[in-house]
Structures are given as structure tokens and as C-alpha cells.
Amino acid sequence: MITGGAGFIGSHVVRLFVNKYPQYHILNVDKLTYAGNLANLKDIEDKPNYTFVKADICDFDRMVDLMKKENVTGIIHLAAESHVDRSIRDPFTFARTNVMGTLSLLQAAKLCWDERPDGYEGCRFYHISTDEVYGALELNHPEGIPAPYSTTASSGEHHAVYGDDFFLEDTRYNPHSPYSASKASSDHFVRAFHDTYGLPTIVTNCSNNYGPYQFPEKLIPLFINNIRKRKPLPVYGKGDNVRDWLYVEDHARAIDIIFHKGEVARTYNIGGFNEWKNIDIIKVLINTVDRLLGRAEGEDLDLITYVTDRAGHDKRYAIDSRRLKDELGWEPSLQFEEGIEKTVRWYLDNETWLENVTSGDYLKYYDEMYRGR
Ligand code: NAD
Ligand code: DAU
């Protein structure tokens, strides 16, 4: 069972598992909120080892029924409300889905797996979380210093870090936004189910993902779309906040490795030692979109519009993912420059997807398709 499989990261995980593991039956459980879009999975929807189920993870009875009926032994849980700005406006929805929804899944898994003759043997509850639970790091090298470790993602021209510290697996939780508070709470529940009941759980905390099928409310797809349409680019604050970026397929690969080889009750951080200031990424996006659309270099730099900062805006995130490299051999496969080029090309080549998502047409279509089910 993969929850949230119609969303951005979930759709990449579903695609990877359906194609790579014909022996598994992949059940994609998704409520299809504004962020869920079955067009993300068009290429695999007819595969015999794939089933989509429209359901809310908060619906405990439904989760129990599904798990029993399908004899679910492995759960990769991605369903969540994921956008920080929305959490600032509507924290209740975040608590409901991210906290209560996760609890509902945990309790359903426990109830079903308690009835198995061989107990929890062969079962696994894998919870996908975020580096935002750790809070914000100091940005004490604003000009950047050479990175202490390099990975494929961070090599190439840009190879700097903006502070001395990194998030480690034992960094104390210190969430600031309603989104990260809800994710932190869900992480605690997952670990509590291991410590109290012995449920075989794993938690991973990943940095910012980018790539195809990301909802264009997040920085990279929103800005690609706005540059394409020559709309203003709303840069929060001074644009000097730092994020650590990872290509989404590299995250999906890490999830595959950890699901199969990770140690129960262990936490793994996933990231690329690939820190960027927002404003530097924005300039790369402008140059890339302009070049690919045959516009003059830098023509759209004047779209940059500095706006009021996000409330409680975390200054810097940076992941130390050496545990995952040392213990399970995972490394990012893609350099950031390549990943951004691929990503911009994908959004420019998939205008219909972008138009449907930004106009909300895809929601009307699925509302009609699933009405009454
Ligand atoms: P997303 O918003 O693109 O997708 C979330 C999916 O969950 C959607 O398909 C939505 O319909 C579904 N969903 C929401 N509420 C639901 C509910 N109550 N029941 C069933 N389905 C529901 O999110 P994403 O960016 O793909 O993130 C996926 C997961 O990865 C989240 O748990 C997020 O916290 C985590 N994460 C994201 C990033 C990132 O950069 N995007 C980084 C680290 C961790
Ligand atoms: O770190 C992992 C997290 O990354 C995930 O857990 C979240 O689900 C995901 O949404 C992402 O959170 P961020 O808040 O970092 O991503 P977002 O794309 O919203 O913003 C990236 C940076 O860009 C952040 O510093 C805010 C800034 N920004 C964002 C938007 C949407 C702007 O300056 N302008 C904007 O319009």
C-alpha cells in the first residue's frame, strides 16, 4: 500500500514500484485532494499489478477493510498536506491529515497485523517525513564555503554550503510551521508505535524535492510556470533562505532501497549536500526557461518581485545523509544542473498538464468520475 501515490513524490514511488516489482500488487490509496492528480500516473494505470483506491487515510474503518481485503504487509506512507504556506492559513487540515491520518493508518496496520499467525514477520510501516521537523539551521556563511562532503547532486559548478551545521538523524526536533509541527507529531506517533507495540516502522526525513509532476504552488514549478507566462516571481524576503535540493527520482530510489534494506526502528536522512539560496535558483530558472524558449539571456530577470516574507520562514535547511550512503550505499545520481534542465524541459513540454492543474480542470474531471463512489 502506497498512500498519497497521486501526488508529486508518491507518483514517482508508485511508478518505480509498479515497473520494478511485477511480483508486488501496488495499491495506491489517495483522497485526491487538490494535490492529487491521476494524470501523474497515466503511463502505468493499466498495469495488472496496480490498483488505485480513492480513500481518505483518516477513515479508519476503510483503512482496516482495505488492509484486510488486500492482505497488506508493506505500507509506504506519503499522503499528507505538504505546503507550508497553506499550513499557515489552515493548520487544522494539516493536523487532521498529517497527525490523525497517520495515527489512523498505524492503528489499522496494528489491528490487522496483530491477527496474522506469524505476527509482524515480513511487515513494514515506512513513514515518509521531512527535514523541516528539525527546525532551521544558522546561515553563518552567507557567501558560502566549500562543502565538507560532496555528492553527485552537489558537484559541478556550484559546490558550497552556507553554515557549519547539518541536520543529523539525532538532531533535536524543533519545528516552526504548522506543517512541520504536524509532520513532527506524526513522526513521534510512528516511533511510539514501534516502541510501545513493536510495530516494524521506519522513518526517513528528506530535503526539498524537485522534478516533474510537482504542484505549481511550490517554488520551482510555480516559478517555471510564471516565467513561461511572464508573470511576477514573488520572492519571499530577500531571497537568501537556503534549501537543500534533491531530484525526486533520487528520493524514490532511496525509498526503494530503505523499504527493502533499511533497519526497523532506524531513521535515515535523505539529501544531496546541494544547498542553494532561493535567489540563485530563481536566476538559474530564468536563464534556463529563457534559453529553452529562445528568449534573450536575462530577458525575464525583471519579473523578480520581492514580497513580504513567509511568517516564521526557516533560514536554512541542510541534510547530512552520510548514514544512508555508508549503511545502504545510496547516493544521488543526478547533478543539480542536469536535474534542473530536465525539470524545466518537462514543464515546458507538458503545457497541458500545467494548464489543467493551474485552471483546476483536473479536479472537476475527477469529481465527476468519482461522484457517488
Ligand atoms: P503532495 O502534496 O504533492 O501530495 C500529497 C498527496 O497526498 C496527494 O496526492 C493528496 O491527494 C494525498 N492526500 C492528502 N490528504 C490525504 C488524505 N487525507 N487521505 C489520502 N490521501 C491524501 O506532496 P509531496 O510533495 O509529494 O509529499 C509527499 C510526502 O513527502 C509528504 O508526506 C511530505 O511531507 C513528504 N516530503 C515532501 C518533500 C517535498 O519536497 N515535496 C520533502 C520531504 C518530505
Ligand atoms: O524541506 C522539505 C520540504 O520542502 C517539504 O517537507 C515540503 O513538503 C515542501 O513543500 C518543501 O517546503 P519549502 O517551504 O521549503 O518549499 P517551497 O517550494 O514552498 O519554498 C521553497 C523556498 O522558496 C522557501 O524558502 C520559500 C521560498 N518561496 C516559495 C514560494 C512558493 C518564495 O520565495 N516564493 C514563493 O512563491
Side-chain angles (χ1 to χ4, degrees):
M1 176 188 279
I2 298 178
T3 71
F8 166 48
I9 302 172
S11 63
H12 289 274
V13 177
V14 167
R15 178 175 297 102
L16 177 68
F17 273 65
V18 165
N19 287 330
K20 187 168 172 188
Y21 299 107
Q23 70 273 31
Y24 294 169
H25 185 184
I26 303 297
L27 197 64
N28 173 11
V29 176
D30 197 298
K31 184 183 173 183
L32 295 182
T33 66
Y34 80 94
N37 184 356
L38 290 178
N40 298 357
L41 290 164
K42 267 253 156 293
D43 52 323
I44 57 112
E45 66 185 5
D46 294 328
K47 297 263 180 172
N49 63 335
Y50 170 72
T51 306
F52 172 72
V53 179
K54 180 171 157 59
D56 185 339
I57 56 165
C58 299
D59 184 345
F60 173 72
D61 293 339
R62 186 88 196 278
M63 292 303 114
V64 171
D65 279 355
L66 272 175
M67 286 182 200
K68 282 196 176 158
K69 195 168 124 234
E70 303 288 342
N71 190 23
V72 169
T73 50
I75 299 173
I76 303 181
H77 172 37
L78 296 112
E81 288 293 336
S82 68
H83 191 43
V84 174
D85 293 327
R86 284 181 191 256
S87 81
I88 295 168
R89 293 195 296 270
D90 175 21
F92 276 117
T93 307
F94 283 69
R96 180 183 179 278
T97 289
N98 299 358
V99 185
M100 293 306 290
T102 301
L103 182 54
S104 151
L105 274 180
L106 284 163
Q107 186 73 356
K110 178 180 177 308
L111 193 143
C112 296
W113 295 346
D114 277 345
E115 289 175 2
R116 285 166 52 88
D118 41 1
Y120 297 160
E121 189 63 37
C123 295
R124 182 154 288 206
F125 188 110
Y126 177 3
H127 175 62
I128 306 299
S129 193
T130 169
D131 59 359
E132 301 202 8
V133 297
Y134 297 124
L137 293 165
E138 289 292 325
L139 200 163
N140 50 345
H141 295 293
E143 300 312 320
I145 55 167
Y149 311 101
S150 72
T151 64
T152 318
S154 62
S155 59
E157 281 176 26
H158 180 91
H159 187 53
V161 296
Y162 295 96
D164 293 318
D165 295 332
F166 300 89
F167 295 137
L168 285 155
E169 284 82 357
D170 58 3
T171 299
R172 196 171 150 266
Y173 272 33
N174 188 18
H176 296 131
S177 71
Y179 164 68
S180 51
S182 69
K183 290 296 289 187
S185 173
S186 64
D187 295 7
H188 289 318
F189 270 109
V190 174
R191 294 192 178 104
F193 266 65
H194 172 267
D195 297 350
T196 309
Y197 310 113
L199 207 75
T201 62
I202 294 187
V203 178
T204 55
N205 299 83
C206 187
S207 62
N208 284 61
N209 286 215
Y210 71 98
Y213 301 112
Q214 187 168 31
F215 195 82
E217 61 185 351
K218 309 277 164 59
L219 179 79
I220 289 183
L222 173 72
F223 279 37
I224 293 173
N225 194 35
N226 284 12
I227 301 163
R228 182 177 81 92
K229 297 193 131 188
R230 293 218 155 100
K231 284 163 70 174
L233 308 175
V235 181
Y236 298 161
K238 296 191 188 122
D240 60 352
N241 298 66
V242 170
R243 297 289 182 267
D244 177 354
W245 293 91
L246 183 68
Y247 191 66
V248 62
E249 287 179 6
D250 277 328
H251 188 188
R253 244 183 354 97
I255 290 172
D256 177 19
I257 292 170
I258 294 161
F259 180 74
H260 290 99
K261 299 195 187 133
E263 197 181 306
V264 164
R266 202 149 173 78
T267 295
Y268 300 89
N269 279 351
I270 311 174
F273 284 114
N274 182 39
E275 290 180 46
W276 283 77
K277 283 188 184 174
N278 291 341
I279 193 65
D280 292 337
I281 292 210
I282 291 162
K283 288 177 184 162
V284 170
L285 291 176
I286 293 172
N287 285 334
T288 311
V289 175
D290 281 353
R291 175 168 48 78
L292 293 176
L293 290 181
R295 298 177 186 167
E297 194 183 329
E299 193 175 327
D300 286 320
L301 281 169
D302 60 1
L303 294 176
I304 291 177
T305 310
Y306 290 92
V307 299
T308 310
D309 207 353
R310 173 186 277 174
H313 196 173
D314 286 337
K315 209 66 199 172
R316 171 174 171 257
Y317 302 144
I319 280 271
D320 184 333
S321 57
R322 279 177 298 160
R323 171 181 288 178
L324 183 52
K325 182 181 177 198
D326 295 347
E327 294 183 10
L328 301 179
W330 174 90
E331 267 211 288
S333 67
L334 211 62
Q335 230 172 281
F336 189 64
E337 289 77 359
E338 282 173 77
I340 282 290
E341 178 90 13
K342 254 178 110 154
T343 302
V344 172
R345 275 187 195 279
W346 188 86
Y347 286 97
L348 296 182
D349 288 347
N350 287 275
E351 273 192 5
T352 314
W353 183 92
L354 259 182
E355 294 296 341
N356 282 344
V357 168
T358 45
S359 69
D361 273 359
Y362 73 108
L363 287 176
K364 283 181 228 144
Y365 171 69
Y366 291 115
D367 275 356
E368 276 162 28
M369 193 166 154
Y370 287 102
R371 191 164 295 145
R373 288 203 198 178

